[in-house]
Amino acid sequence: MSEIHWNRMTAAQLRELAAEDAVVLPVGSTEQHGPHLPTGVDDLLVAEVCRRTAHLAAAHTRVVVAPSVWAGLAEHHVPFGGTVTLSLDTYHALLCDLCRSVLRAGFSRILIVNGHAGNMTALNAISNELTVELGTSMGADLMRVPRWGDSQRFGM
């Protein structure tokens, strides 16, 4: 099985893949999920969904999985503790810079895959802006990945 993780490939391997392949950028959050789950649930799940999807897509096309963005918009979770949150301006700037880096590496297609409901509204606006601003095929999958408790049903 070919390598799919951006941060496990060499620069030469990425340059070779860039001309024809797409990049998925998993975005999640680090926040409380009650007393029984780790704070990284959203990040862990979205990264795993992207990994599995890239392996399934390999029959038709190569998909490179970028390192996940583990912080998102989670102000509403701060009172419960264990939460890392970004401002909207910082989140926008971070995603824009990450997408620019992917494009400068030679890729032309980026799909942002979201694993945190608190990011949805911002990602919808940001992906539309980035499509125009960066002049590339951008998309944001705004559907939530299955919840931790649903993992048995989805074979995870």
Side-chain angles (χ1 to χ4, degrees):
M1 199 175 295
S2 298
E3 182 58 62
I4 57 156
H5 292 96
W6 180 294
N7 56 358
R8 294 182 187 166
M9 290 186 225
T10 66
Q13 289 171 313
L14 287 164
R15 276 192 302 274
E16 189 176 304
L17 294 173
E20 56 195 65
D21 297 322
V23 171
V24 292
L25 174 61
V27 297
S29 183
T30 300
E31 65 191 32
Q32 67 79 34
H33 277 275
H36 62 300
L37 293 174
T39 58
V41 166
D42 290 350
D43 180 51
L44 295 169
L45 287 177
V46 74
E48 184 64 13
V49 166
C50 289
R51 184 191 71 77
R52 290 180 185 213
T53 300
H55 283 301
L56 290 172
H60 308 286
T61 187
R62 288 285 306 263
V63 175
V64 176
V65 180
S68 66
V69 177
W70 55 268
L73 303 174
E75 186 63 37
H76 55 290
H77 284 275
V78 170
F80 303 106
T83 298
V84 175
T85 190
L86 301 174
S87 69
L88 181 57
D89 289 342
T90 299
Y91 193 59
H92 181 273
L94 174 65
L95 291 176
C96 191
D97 286 349
L98 291 173
C99 290
R100 270 195 199 102
S101 294
V102 169
L103 295 174
R104 292 178 72 188
F107 292 89
S108 61
R109 295 179 297 154
I110 304 167
L111 175 65
I112 299 171
V113 181
N114 182 37
H116 171 61
N119 295 337
M120 288 177 66
T121 302
L123 279 174
N124 190 29
I126 290 169
S127 66
N128 289 331
E129 285 181 24
L130 289 177
T131 297
V132 173
E133 186 177 330
L134 301 177
T136 189
S137 174
M138 284 281 310
D141 175 4
L142 302 177
M143 299 183 69
R144 289 264 304 158
V145 297
R147 289 187 218 172
W148 191 269
D150 294 338
S151 61
Q152 293 284 332
R153 194 170 358 150
F154 292 97
M156 299 172 120

